[in-house]
Amino acid sequence: MLSRSRCLSRNFGRSLSAIRQGNNVLTRIGAAAISSSYPFTLRNTVKSDPRSSVFQIQYFRTSFAYRDEVLTIKTPAFAESVTEGDVRWEKAVGDTVSEDEVVCEIETDKTSVQVPSPSSGVIVEFLVPDGGKVEGGTPLFTLRKGPAAPQAAEAPKAEAPTAAVPSPPSAPPPSPPPPPPSAVGPIPTTMPPVPPVPSHAMDAKPVSAIKPTTPAAPVDGGAKVARTESRVKMNRMRLRIAQRLKEAQNTCAMLTTFNEIDMSNISEMRKTYKDAFLKKHNIKLGFMSAFVKASAYALTDQPAVNAVIDDTTKEIVYRDYVDISVAVATPKGLVVPVIRNVEGMNFADIEKTINMLGEKARKNELAVEDMDGGTFTISNGGVFGSMFGTPIINPPQSAILGMHGIFDRPVAVAGKVEIRPMMYIALTYDHRLVDGREAVTFLRKIKSVVEDPRVLLLDM
Amino acid sequence: MMEMLSHVRGTSAFFRDSFRTGSCNTLTQVTRACSTLLTGSSKGGLVLYSQSSDVYDNLSLEDWIDANVDLKRLNVLLLWRNTPAVVIGRHQNPWKECNLSLVRRSGISLARRRSGGGTVFHDLGNLNLTFFASKNAYDRQRNLKVITEALRRLRPGLDVEATERFDIFLKGCYKITGSASRISRKSSYHHCTLLHSADHSTLLPILRSSCQGVHSNATPSVPSPVANLVDHDPTLKWEALLDALADQYSAEFGGCGTMNAVNPADESTFPGLSRISAELRGWDWIFGKTPKFSIQTLLKMTDDLSSAGRTVRLHLEIKHGVIESCSLDVPTCWLPPSLSSELSSVLVGQRFCPHHTAVAFSMLLRCESGEKQNRLRRLCDAILAVMG
């Protein structure tokens, strides 16, 4: 049915242009006159159809359009005796085009010819499908003449921004004045004095007596703030991630335990060996390898953290291998490449693997098997400056280690206060499987390895 | 063969020395210099040689000249060549035209040009010529005559003939050029390849589609037997060929006859060219401009446990390189229908590209386990293999 009505309007288009070109007299006749005479011509050109009343309705629509000047644009003549070509549409039906803007290309044997619009307006209909064959003179499309597209400045505010970040308000509220700097004095050694108790009770006022005061009229200081909002549809990826996160939260009994690491030793080790490492292995020595190796060591020591509950069969699956997923933020979202069999790797191997995966992620070449599986995840919030936080488990695993930023802090070392570079680490774990003692021991193991890598050699 | 290879390698030194080039002037200087030599109302010809062998930069240079040079006053011939690249026509389907994973693995570039026609393979032994003219002066036979006359002058008695279909054949049966052109609103260009010493051995596996079940009305490629000029006359040197072509072009179209070296990466000579080049390198141009097509194929899944294979029917509709709709018919005994419908919905809206889709699949796979996960992974791998 659809094709028939399309064929019909195509006939209308052709007969319309024929009327325009041929019979100028008709243009002067009023609509009423045309409506009375047209059905007769119609019955001649089109096969009889019981729904002739629909034709009249359709006709009225096109005659209306005719008065708004609908042009039919034809295929240009081909050069050098070429007879036919294929149409490839550049624009879509309903698009507004300006004069001379390319609407489609005709591809003849080895030549691509652009077909521009003769005037500005809105594309009404394509008379040939994409890839369809046309000859010189074949009607291509119809265009309703009109003004060109409005300026970009007038784009409606409700238009969804392409970036996922919601548009910030045009005038940010003035930041609160900074608190007055507190007087820094010696650490108090006595308790502060207790304020005296008032001798008699306060005058009690019934609530009704308190009249609400109208707030002072806001000082019209700043610029007028826009109060529009914009709605952006959540894309599939985001919906899926949201769904998975909630599922993880609902099935696991998640809680987090914390500890802190003194990064002085590992920083010093890195400073001492980084040049030689770079020369030998051709990649930089970072901190990730220490944490990955420490985690692998701790996971082999505490197999429960490396295991996972299979909810369907109600079994605990203990894995004899350690695959560590490293969470990496990319413009496309969170990507989690996996380092396989870490228990057998040394720091250099780990750095090389991380480097290789990072290159692949950057070049968009990560395969499914690179991101598949993993028994434990490490997430580094420190690169963004986070100090402290609770990571969320990445299903179907049982635990995740969150690394945070390294900040100089005063700590107690051998009875004295010293400034050390400290990092908080967090372990979120599934309490159904891992109990408190195991989680804390696990985290302490990581701490001891990173604070003194010799622990690995001595298997302490 | 060895001689041919050493010749190709040696020509990189050739760029720097050489043939009668003007120094790298700005295009306006060059144009002005040439137009002062014009007499009366005759239009002049200008011969340019691109110093770049990057296919995207050279295609952008063509675009730039087409848009910015007044071709009513001047005819331009651009000579260029590229490091190994597969160049598909404007309305072709890259999944149908070549083996995408092999192209990627071999480090060969894939580009979509703006003119129509079929797929060609470029390398440093293939000379590209672009004849720029105003829309009214568009005459492909005249352009091909420049090539045949130049060749005959270099090697009298060489049997080269231009056909009605705008090809040039050597000895009546070997095609040595392929043409394509583009007619814009005010200007036109006709470009063709000229096989001097190209390497055909790598051609066949690259230009064989790796994608099964592609149903598309994109422009097809018509393969034909080709030959190199050096196969029939090993003494024909690259520099001599360029000189002969430049001379013949000026004899036909007027102008100085010197070849002017231009560098498309030079932003001061060609302002805005880097923007065109960035567009031509993007996924949206190379893959996104593919006319609407569909994939209808059967994927054979074999289990490790049972020897009986399962067949999964896959039907994808792809528009602008993005999967518009997906229908996945998986036997319910093999995978639960909830999982297959999830997989389907992951595919809709994804680019038809294995890398982009791999990330989405990995998320789905992470949440399954055991045999279901294995089967799902195998299905995902098979679907990704379809994407090239």
Side-chain angles (χ1 to χ4, degrees):
Chain A
M1 193 183 291
L2 197 63
S3 56
R4 196 146 55 108
S5 63
R6 208 152 40 114
C7 173
L8 218 47
S9 38
R10 201 176 298 162
N11 282 336
F12 278 135
R14 293 213 185 101
S15 45
L16 212 52
S17 56
I19 290 170
R20 273 189 72 224
Q21 287 161 9
N23 205 340
N24 286 324
V25 177
L26 259 175
T27 61
R28 284 182 243 121
I29 300 172
I34 299 175
S35 67
S36 58
S37 62
Y38 200 80
F40 297 110
T41 19
L42 196 63
R43 281 192 205 114
N44 288 336
T45 53
V46 182
K47 287 205 196 72
S48 64
D49 188 299
R51 301 176 298 128
S52 56
S53 55
V54 179
F55 289 168
Q56 286 176 306
I57 295 170
Q58 279 204 312
Y59 163 72
F60 278 129
R61 236 182 332 133
T62 49
S63 75
F64 211 52
Y66 170 59
R67 282 207 232 107
D68 276 7
E69 271 222 87
V70 172
L71 306 170
T72 304
I73 286 84
K74 298 217 182 79
T75 314
F78 298 130
E80 295 174 330
S81 74
V82 176
T83 46
E84 64 166 22
D86 299 333
V87 179
R88 298 286 177 194
W89 294 109
E90 293 281 304
K91 296 278 176 192
V93 171
D95 279 356
T96 308
V97 292
S98 37
E99 186 175 329
D100 237 13
E101 203 178 334
V102 175
V103 177
C104 67
E105 292 198 358
I106 311 267
E107 188 170 353
T108 62
D109 183 28
K110 306 174 190 181
T111 306
S112 192
V113 184
Q114 295 184 313
V115 179
S117 175
S119 88
S120 59
V122 178
I123 298 176
V124 175
E125 199 204 350
F126 288 154
L127 304 171
V128 185
D130 187 86
K133 295 219 177 307
V134 291
E135 300 177 358
T138 310
L140 277 177
F141 67 98
T142 48
L143 176 86
R144 179 176 304 119
K145 277 172 85 164
Q151 307 296 339
E154 282 163 47
K157 287 195 217 95
E159 207 175 322
T162 44
V165 179
S167 48
S170 43
S175 49
S182 45
V184 180
I187 301 168
T189 45
T190 54
M191 282 209 356
V194 177
V197 178
S199 44
H200 50 267
M202 272 172 39
D203 296 318
K205 257 194 238 170
V207 177
S208 48
I210 302 171
K211 293 210 184 9
T213 50
T214 51
V219 177
D220 195 11
K224 290 233 164 64
V225 179
R227 292 182 50 83
T228 48
E229 62 182 36
S230 59
R231 284 170 175 266
V232 179
K233 197 125 184 96
M234 282 175 81
N235 64 26
R236 272 185 203 286
M237 198 66 163
R238 197 172 274 277
L239 277 170
R240 183 142 287 102
I241 293 172
Q243 194 187 357
R244 295 283 176 236
L245 285 175
K246 273 321 282 181
E247 264 173 36
Q249 267 193 336
N250 294 343
T251 37
C252 300
M254 275 200 267
L255 61 128
T256 312
T257 172
F258 298 94
N259 217 310
E260 58 179 12
I261 299 186
D262 184 341
M263 299 290 285
S264 340
N265 278 345
I266 194 96
S267 298
E268 212 202 291
M269 182 182 99
R270 183 165 166 266
K271 218 183 305 218
T272 317
Y273 287 100
K274 71 176 162 90
D275 292 327
F277 190 87
L278 182 61
K279 198 178 296 188
K280 174 156 188 214
H281 297 288
N282 236 343
I283 42 171
K284 291 215 304 225
L285 176 62
F287 287 127
M288 254 342 238
S289 45
F291 281 91
V292 169
K293 186 64 191 168
S295 307
Y297 183 70
L299 285 166
T300 32
D301 187 65
Q302 300 278 347
V305 188
N306 199 37
V308 72
I309 292 181
D310 186 344
D311 285 295
T312 44
T313 57
K314 304 280 185 274
E315 292 171 330
I316 302 176
V317 185
Y318 289 95
R319 274 91 62 114
D320 301 323
Y321 54 90
V322 174
D323 284 352
I324 297 194
S325 326
V326 180
V328 177
T330 65
K332 274 206 299 292
L334 189 69
V335 165
V336 200
V338 181
I339 309 174
R340 309 243 176 236
N341 287 106
V342 187
E343 73 277 12
M345 290 190 182
N346 60 30
F347 279 42
D349 296 327
I350 296 173
E351 284 291 349
K352 283 193 192 122
T353 316
I354 294 179
N355 202 42
M356 183 261 300
L357 289 169
E359 271 304 305
K360 274 184 151 186
R362 226 185 322 277
K363 286 196 274 187
N364 260 338
E365 278 171 17
L366 281 175
V368 170
E369 53 267 14
D370 290 330
M371 296 182 280
D372 201 16
T375 58
F376 183 75
T377 304
I378 299 184
S379 147
N380 191 353
V383 291
F384 308 114
S386 134
M387 183 188 87
F388 208 75
T390 53
I392 188 166
I393 294 179
N394 197 11
Q397 295 172 359
S398 298
I400 176 169
L401 176 74
M403 292 162 57
H404 299 282
I406 304 172
F407 298 106
D408 280 343
R409 256 194 286 130
V411 286
V413 177
K416 290 209 209 53
V417 175
E418 286 188 25
I419 306 286
R420 290 289 175 93
M422 301 297 288
M423 178 200 279
Y424 282 118
I425 51 172
L427 180 77
T428 302
Y429 59 100
D430 184 355
H431 208 327
R432 300 177 299 162
L433 179 56
V434 182
D435 61 28
R437 184 177 54 92
E438 288 170 327
V440 173
T441 315
F442 179 85
L443 210 54
R444 283 197 69 86
K445 256 237 155 32
I446 294 187
K447 173 189 165 84
S448 60
V449 170
V450 177
E451 283 185 346
D452 190 351
R454 297 175 295 186
V455 165
L456 284 170
L457 288 170
L458 300 168
D459 197 8
M460 304 293 284
Chain B
M1 184 64 180
M2 278 311 295
E3 185 192 32
M4 180 176 91
L5 280 176
S6 63
H7 163 78
V8 170
R9 247 182 267 129
T11 40
S12 54
F14 160 75
F15 276 54
R16 294 190 289 274
D17 313 302
S18 92
F19 51 90
R20 304 160 290 146
T21 53
S23 56
C24 193
N25 305 311
T26 65
L27 194 60
T28 37
Q29 285 174 336
V30 163
T31 322
R32 223 179 291 134
C34 276
S35 52
T36 56
L37 296 167
L38 302 179
T39 50
S41 58
S42 67
K43 284 198 295 183
L46 181 64
V47 181
L48 301 174
Y49 185 97
S50 170
Q51 291 175 318
S52 166
S53 57
D54 177 83
V55 61
Y56 307 107
D57 280 346
N58 284 326
L59 287 172
S60 313
L61 181 57
E62 276 190 326
D63 263 355
W64 193 96
I65 295 175
D66 187 52
N68 290 292
V69 175
D70 183 0
L71 295 164
K72 288 202 185 63
R73 289 193 317 113
L74 203 62
N75 288 306
V76 180
L77 170 66
L78 176 68
L79 299 166
W80 45 292
R81 63 175 174 172
N82 305 314
T83 49
V86 173
V87 182
I88 60 175
R90 172 72 177 82
H91 304 291
Q92 288 204 295
N93 183 326
W95 288 276
K96 220 166 81 162
E97 294 302 323
C98 59
N99 186 335
L100 286 173
S101 56
L102 185 57
V103 165
R104 247 193 322 267
R105 282 203 301 274
S106 321
I108 296 176
S109 311
L110 174 65
R112 180 189 293 268
R113 56 178 190 269
R114 300 228 200 244
S115 58
T119 302
V120 278
F121 178 73
H122 286 188
D123 69 10
L124 290 170
N126 167 57
L127 176 66
N128 296 302
L129 302 98
T130 310
F131 297 85
F132 294 91
S134 69
K135 203 163 165 176
N136 297 332
Y138 175 66
D139 185 351
R140 287 181 283 181
Q141 287 295 0
R142 191 181 179 197
N143 298 335
L144 293 179
K145 199 170 91 166
V146 168
I147 302 178
T148 48
E149 286 300 306
L151 286 172
R152 284 196 202 110
R153 284 228 182 132
L154 258 186
R155 293 283 182 277
L158 189 65
D159 180 11
V160 279
E161 205 65 53
T163 67
E164 283 174 346
R165 288 194 76 246
F166 311 106
D167 292 321
I168 296 182
F169 276 82
L170 179 66
K171 295 194 175 146
C173 50
Y174 300 105
K175 202 162 104 138
I176 54 168
T177 66
S179 283
S181 34
R182 179 166 170 81
I183 301 179
S184 328
R185 285 165 286 173
K186 294 196 176 56
S187 53
S188 74
Y189 63 77
H190 163 216
H191 53 201
C192 50
T193 52
L194 180 58
L195 290 170
H196 176 263
S197 45
D199 183 5
H200 297 307
S201 56
T202 49
L203 210 57
L204 280 166
I206 301 253
L207 293 183
R208 193 179 301 132
S209 168
S210 54
C211 205
Q212 20 157 211
V214 178
H215 289 49
S216 135
N217 67 358
T219 316
S221 284
V222 178
S224 32
V226 292
N228 283 317
L229 283 170
V230 293
D231 290 342
H232 295 268
D233 187 347
T235 63
L236 183 57
K237 295 262 178 279
W238 179 266
E239 305 89 89
L241 180 62
L242 291 179
D243 284 343
L245 287 165
D247 279 338
Q248 192 59 35
Y249 185 78
S250 6
E252 182 70 37
F253 288 93
C256 350
T258 32
M259 269 181 287
N260 300 282
V262 287
N263 183 2
D266 184 357
E267 194 68 16
S268 56
T269 323
F270 301 106
L273 194 144
S274 50
R275 200 181 20 91
I276 306 174
S277 188
E279 192 199 331
L280 290 181
R281 275 170 223 270
W283 196 97
D284 285 326
W285 174 262
I286 300 177
F287 294 98
K289 285 290 180 188
T290 310
K292 186 169 175 170
F293 67 104
S294 71
I295 299 272
Q296 287 161 38
T297 183
L298 297 171
L299 305 168
K300 292 244 176 317
M301 301 279 115
T302 46
D303 260 345
D304 286 334
L305 304 173
S306 67
S307 54
R310 297 270 188 262
T311 314
V312 172
R313 191 164 335 122
L314 176 69
H315 182 151
L316 300 170
E317 292 287 333
I318 297 138
K319 188 170 170 190
H320 300 315
V322 171
I323 300 175
E324 257 192 341
S325 74
C326 166
S327 137
L328 201 58
D329 195 359
V330 184
T332 47
C333 51
W334 199 68
L335 268 188
S338 57
L339 207 50
S340 349
S341 71
E342 264 222 68
L343 187 56
S344 263
S345 58
V346 165
L347 283 169
V348 174
Q350 285 289 335
R351 277 184 176 172
F352 189 63
C353 166
H355 305 134
H356 286 84
T357 319
V359 179
F361 278 169
S362 71
M363 260 225 48
L364 195 61
L365 282 169
R366 270 214 296 277
C367 310
E368 301 303 321
S369 59
E371 187 54 29
K372 243 196 301 183
Q373 194 195 44
N374 282 335
R375 289 178 181 174
L376 189 61
R377 184 185 301 117
R378 244 170 304 173
L379 183 54
C380 288
D381 282 342
I383 296 177
L384 289 176
V386 170
M387 294 187 183

